[in-house]
Amino acid sequence: MSYLGVGVSPGNVPVYHSSSTTNLKVIDRRVKVAELVLRFLICGLGLAAALLVATDTQVKEIFMVKKKAKFTDMKALVFLVIVNGIAAAYSLLQALRCVVSMVKGNVLFSKPLAWMIFSADQVVAYVAVAVVGAAAQSAALAKLGQSELQWMKICNMYDKFCTQVGEGIATSVLVGLSTILISCISAFNLFRLYGGGKNKSSSRW
């Protein structure tokens, strides 16, 4: 028989059900898998965004003079390539850490290390979102121009170049959103270390 979650064996020895512990393990497993997927996603998307912008060129002949458009002509695009490359490399390292921790089970995960990962994830997220905003603003000027400042609509001449840059910026937006989710997960991993003593052993990974 059972009463209030306590089972009684034939020898009258109480047997306590550990449903709460099981639920914590399930949640912990899901958080690990979500972090791993997001880390690899950022790595792939960041690399794709950097390559889309960095390899984008187009040559046009204007008044008998050939002019080549490339990403280095716009500082915002240069920063976009650099930040996406850094985000991809950093996420790959963190993804490998996640794989090792999942394979070995219990890996040392101290509070100082958790703070380092949390801080790094926050920096990557902020920089990724900021550089996307700067690149989008520059792309809008190239697309729409600025008549008050007599800035031409560059995309009317370099349509292929602008299209590929737009694809790179769109991919970078996904990178930025993914880094925000990762920063939330790292915050969860950090602050649960300051929870009750019963949860500390299950949160070290």
Side-chain angles (χ1 to χ4, degrees):
M1 62 177 290
S2 62
Y3 181 69
L4 294 179
V6 179
V8 180
S9 65
N12 295 326
V13 178
V15 178
Y16 295 90
H17 301 292
S18 57
S19 59
S20 60
T21 304
T22 303
N23 291 335
L24 288 176
K25 290 182 178 179
V26 171
I27 294 174
D28 184 67
R29 183 72 178 179
R30 290 178 179 176
V31 170
K32 290 180 180 180
V33 173
E35 180 181 1
L36 181 62
V37 171
L38 282 173
R39 297 285 188 190
F40 277 119
L41 182 64
I42 294 172
C43 180
L45 291 176
L47 182 60
L51 290 177
L52 278 171
V53 178
T55 60
D56 188 16
T57 59
Q58 186 177 4
V59 178
K60 282 286 186 177
E61 187 173 324
I62 303 174
F63 300 115
M64 305 298 292
V65 178
K66 290 186 178 181
K67 291 185 176 293
K68 183 178 182 180
K70 50 189 182 299
F71 80 100
T72 53
D73 296 331
M74 301 178 67
K75 298 303 181 184
L77 296 182
V78 174
F79 289 127
L80 186 72
V81 171
I82 294 174
V83 170
N84 277 298
I86 293 175
Y90 169 75
S91 295
L92 178 60
L93 292 176
Q94 290 294 341
L96 294 177
R97 176 190 61 81
C98 293
V99 171
V100 172
S101 66
M102 293 179 69
V103 171
K104 291 188 176 181
N106 189 16
V107 176
L108 180 62
F109 193 73
S110 60
K111 290 180 181 179
L113 178 59
W115 272 109
M116 289 176 60
I117 295 174
F118 169 74
S119 301
D121 286 341
Q122 291 289 318
V123 171
V124 171
Y126 284 128
V127 175
V129 172
V131 77
V132 167
Q137 184 180 24
S138 298
L141 289 175
K143 178 71 175 179
L144 304 175
Q146 187 72 33
S147 58
E148 293 81 2
L149 300 176
Q150 297 182 352
W151 289 350
M152 299 173 57
K153 298 179 180 180
I154 305 300
C155 290
N156 288 346
M157 296 182 291
Y158 299 97
D159 52 345
K160 173 187 171 296
F161 175 80
C162 289
T163 299
Q164 189 165 327
V165 166
E167 294 172 355
I169 293 176
T171 307
S172 299
V173 171
L174 297 178
V175 173
L177 293 176
S178 299
T179 56
I180 293 174
L181 293 177
I182 277 293
S183 64
C184 294
I185 292 178
S186 62
F188 171 77
N189 290 333
L190 169 64
F191 293 116
R192 70 176 176 172
L193 294 178
Y194 292 89
K198 294 185 295 183
N199 296 335
K200 289 184 179 179
S201 60
S202 64
S203 63
R204 294 191 175 187
W205 59 281

